[in-house]
Amino acid sequence: MTAALTAIQRRRLVVAARRAAAAAYTPYSRFPVGAAVLMADGRVFTGCNVENASFGLTNCAERTAVFSAVAAGSRRLRAVAVFTPTPTPTLPCGACRQVLHEFGPDATVLSVCAGEGCVETALAALLPHAFGPADL
Ligand code: THU
């Protein structure tokens, strides 16, 4: 069980995720997504979705953020915020849930949007009975 996010941490992540969405490369879907990850060392990394003419090569915002953190030597994920400029919040896709689980099985997931609604939940609730490093 991980301690709840403080209001300051939550605000910091939401602002970072919203800013990150501005860099999204989405000529095909026109569906920009921004993500920000809070790592156990206190660092925050951001990411956006990056699409490709070969559609299957698209990288989601959440994975971009996690891969940036790992590339910078930060591996323990504490929380992730996802922003979409939509009326309702968007939760991480299945592939992203799996990648988030690798680095933060107890992470908090926070989804925010242009509307009022937001979702804050545990990654474990989004990916029950997950397959992970311990299963190998
Ligand atoms: N997308 C994300 O970036 N994160 C998600 O969790 C859901 C989907 C992106 C992928 C693609 O660029 C666009 O949203 C539409 O699927």
Side-chain angles (χ1 to χ4, degrees):
M1 188 70 183
T2 317
L5 288 176
T6 65
I8 290 171
Q9 286 173 324
R10 194 177 289 113
R11 182 77 198 139
R12 184 179 174 205
L13 274 187
V14 166
V15 168
R18 182 185 284 266
R19 284 198 185 127
Y25 176 71
T26 59
Y28 309 108
S29 73
R30 305 271 174 212
F31 189 81
V33 185
V37 291
L38 172 66
M39 308 306 287
D41 58 18
R43 289 195 281 174
V44 168
F45 297 86
T46 59
C48 59
N49 47 339
V50 182
E51 299 185 345
N52 194 279
S54 178
F55 296 165
L57 298 183
T58 290
N59 206 62
C60 290
E62 298 91 323
R63 278 177 284 151
T64 305
V66 168
F67 295 157
S68 289
V70 173
S74 193
R75 292 185 179 175
R76 283 182 55 213
L77 174 69
R78 166 109 177 58
V80 55
V82 181
F83 170 80
T84 48
T86 50
T88 54
T90 301
L91 278 294
C93 77
C96 288
R97 292 177 196 198
Q98 180 67 31
V99 169
L100 291 165
H101 175 80
E102 182 81 15
F103 298 102
D106 298 320
T108 296
V109 176
L110 183 58
S111 288
V112 295
C113 61
E116 292 291 303
C118 83
V119 174
E120 183 166 343
T121 187
L123 176 64
L126 299 179
L127 194 67
H129 306 290
F131 174 78
D135 294 306
L136 295 174

